[in-house]
DNA sequence: TGATAAAGTTAACGGTGTCTACAACGTATG
DNA sequence: CATACGTTGTAGACACCGTTAACTTTATCA
């Protein structure tokens, strides 16, 4: 035990805000229904405690979504950093994006939930992801409109992720990855 | 009055199921929060009455989503029928699709809500829309893979609709329509 | 007409978001 | 060290929600 903290429940949690966000995302990952009271119970705190750190349920949900966007951004950046000499095909980014949606479906749904559309921080985190894609598009295709390519790339990735989660497209994952590659090849050809 | 029905409240509503679905969609259109009890109140019926026609809240939501998909299909078919000699550019379908999402944001969000993913009827209505797009793709580009083009077209339309509603892309509608056209032109070129 | 099933009602249960009033704690100041 | 104060957590309440059970009204048909 490197941290011999006293384990008896103290009145002041110390870092409740972050703990609530983490616990809330955990609930989504486990498929449990998220509720303010349930997340408070999970952290071991009273039902009204979250209101010291969030104004409303939407407010904590926006914080969870923001966290999700930052995780997504980290995953995308790893792909970029792992690539050689800055040449990252957009489709590789798209596949990472889609796999993130597959691996965290509930969080992904929350990130694009319509009620949270006007939260400032969540919007900013989302915009950062967009900027990252735009940056790659500009580096990979210097001769083309970077903003347009980023828009098309994200729209394609998001749309295919949605349709895949939704089940309209097939269920076979290998086929699906190949289809994503084929679709992007058609768009970003030459 | 072509239907001289007695107006005093009768015990048997006559067509409660359809009335509930319609009223539920009306609530979404008006931006009101949808709840089972509220929709029952709006139709003038007791809170438990909906359970004679729907097994759960998810069940009626799925019915509302199915209704939405059929309306979307009707809108798309109108564009097809209005076109001359069967030549319908995919981008015109996409713009109709996106305008539908803009005009009915809450219903559109419900249609793609993750909790309803496994409802049979909703899935079928969704698949019919996909089949319609595929049909147009096959007619417009007989030399290309229709399923692939339909997938790409829908993914692009759905993705751009989401990003637009979300606000990441600009707010100017004219610009946005032009951007959709440009993006589709890049994809479906030649 | 009278039995039966369908379609509605009332009342209740536990859960939820949110608010108000109160208690415990950390900290800066005397 | 003592004490006042602002922060953080608690307890309790309210209205609303989804859902179920038990009951009543109505339509249908032998």
């Amino acid at each position: 035990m490197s941290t011999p903290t006293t384990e008896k429940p103290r009145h002041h949690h110390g870092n409740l805000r972050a703990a609530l966000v983490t616990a809330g995302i955990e609930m989504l990952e486990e498929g449990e229904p998220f509720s303010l009271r349930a997340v408070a119970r999970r952290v071991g705190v009273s039902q009204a405690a979250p209101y010291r750190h969030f104004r409303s349920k939407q407010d904590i949900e926006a914080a969870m979504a923001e966290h999700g966007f930052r995780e997504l951004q980290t995953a995308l950046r790893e792909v970029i950093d792992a690539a050689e000499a800055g040449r990252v095909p957009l489709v590789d980014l798209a596949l990472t994006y889609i796999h993130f949606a597959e691996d965290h479906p509930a969080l992904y749904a929350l990130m694009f939930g319509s009620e949270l559309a006007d939260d400032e921080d969540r919007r900013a985190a989302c915009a950062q992801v967009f900027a990252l894609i735009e940056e790659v598009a500009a580096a990979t295709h210097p001769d083309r409109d970077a903003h347009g390519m980023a828009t098309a790339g994200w729209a394609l990735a998001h749309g295919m992720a949605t349709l895949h989660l939704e089940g309209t497209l097939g269920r076979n994952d290998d086929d699906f990855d190949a289809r994503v590659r084929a679709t992007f090849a058609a768009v970003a050809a030459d």
Side-chain angles (χ1 to χ4, degrees), chain A residues 55 72 106 109 118 128 175:
Chain A
R55 274 196 299 271
L72 173 57
D118 45 359
Q128 279 186 32
D175 280 5

Side-chain angles (χ1 to χ4, degrees), chain A residues 76-91:
Chain A
L76 293 176
R77 188 160 291 287
E78 277 176 12
V79 173
I80 297 173
D81 292 347
E84 35 176 303
R87 282 290 289 185
V88 186
L90 266 185
V91 65

Side-chain angles (χ1 to χ4, degrees), chain A residues 82-106:
Chain A
E84 35 176 303
R87 282 290 289 185
V88 186
L90 266 185
V91 65
D92 289 351
L93 239 51
L95 281 172
T96 304
Y97 183 102
I98 290 171
H99 292 153
F100 180 89
E102 282 178 338
D103 292 343
H104 316 285

Side-chain angles (χ1 to χ4, degrees), chain A residues 23-62:
Chain A
I25 291 182
E26 276 175 22
M27 296 180 68
L28 292 186
E29 305 286 321
E30 295 169 14
E32 283 179 47
F34 171 78
S35 85
L36 222 32
R37 295 169 102 112
V39 76
R41 251 173 332 223
R42 177 182 270 251
V43 172
V45 101
S46 83
Q47 70 194 232
Y51 283 90
R52 294 290 153 189
H53 301 271
F54 301 98
R55 274 196 299 271
S56 66
K57 190 192 184 190
Q58 273 199 25
D59 201 19
I60 183 176
E61 284 178 336

Side-chain angles (χ1 to χ4, degrees), chain A residues 139-152:
Chain A
T140 314
H141 298 271
D143 53 330
R144 296 238 227 151
D145 169 33
H147 190 74
M149 286 204 67
T151 302

